């Protein structure tokens, strides 16, 4: 994921967490808020409830990979908050959950909307 597509500052995370719409899934919670940019930015929050450093990093890698294969509409700031089971699942399961959450928020690009409706 490119650096320009990431949320990096505390203020950016705070803005999304305070004003974003909330979408709840089995493995993650997603908060999203529109931005005024021509790209979508994504951030991840993985607490110690998920596990030690190895498990937290694995959860972030799985989330990043599932987003890499999923197309997003432009102009959104999105934060994924991993749940405790996030580090123990396969990448395909996380991808299904991520597509479901993005579909609920209507942030999926047109090409991916058709595939996400088949998995729900």
């Amino acid at each position: 994921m490119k650096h320009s597509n990431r949320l990096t500052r505390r203020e950016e995370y705070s803005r999304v967490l305070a004003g974003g719409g909330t979408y709840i899934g089995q493995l993650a919670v997603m908060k999203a808020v529109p931005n005024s940019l021509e790209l979508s930015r994504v951030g991840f929050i993985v607490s110690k409830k998920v596990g030690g450093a190895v498990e937290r990093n694995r959860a972030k890698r799985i989330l990043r990979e599932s987003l890499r294969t999923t197309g997003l509409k432009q102009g959104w700031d999105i934060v994924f908050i991993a749940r405790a089971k996030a580090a123990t699942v396969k990448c395909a399961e996380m991808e299904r959950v991520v597509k479901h959450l993005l579909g609920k928020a209507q942030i999926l690009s047109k090409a991916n909307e058709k595939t996400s409706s088949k998995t729900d």
Side-chain angles (χ1 to χ4, degrees):
M1 183 178 291
K2 293 180 184 178
H3 186 70
S4 61
N5 291 21
R6 295 182 197 163
L7 294 174
T8 56
R9 297 176 178 251
R10 179 182 292 251
E11 300 84 35
E12 295 169 345
Y13 277 91
S14 296
R15 188 175 66 83
V16 175
L17 294 175
T22 304
Y23 305 92
I24 299 171
Q26 297 172 343
L27 303 173
V29 175
M30 184 184 82
K31 291 192 143 275
V33 65
N35 65 26
S36 59
L37 306 173
E38 293 191 17
L39 55 94
S40 288
R41 300 181 300 176
V42 180
F44 305 100
I45 297 175
V46 183
S47 73
K48 289 187 178 182
K49 291 179 184 177
V50 174
V54 172
E55 290 83 11
R56 291 194 308 270
N57 287 330
R58 182 175 192 281
K60 284 186 266 188
R61 281 194 312 270
I62 291 171
L63 277 166
R64 261 190 237 109
E65 177 62 20
S66 61
L67 279 169
R68 187 184 67 80
T69 59
T70 305
L72 299 175
K73 287 184 180 177
Q74 295 179 346
W76 289 89
D77 284 343
I78 305 165
V79 172
F80 283 95
I81 305 166
R83 290 191 159 192
K85 293 189 252 179
T88 61
V89 298
K90 303 280 185 200
C91 193
E93 178 67 18
M94 182 62 80
E95 186 175 345
R96 186 187 67 76
V97 171
V98 166
K99 281 187 176 181
H100 176 72
L101 292 173
L102 292 169
K104 273 178 150 179
Q106 298 177 351
I107 300 176
L108 273 178
S109 67
K110 295 291 181 190
N112 287 314
E113 284 179 354
K114 295 172 187 167
T115 58
S116 69
S117 62
K118 292 179 183 176
T119 61
D120 294 339

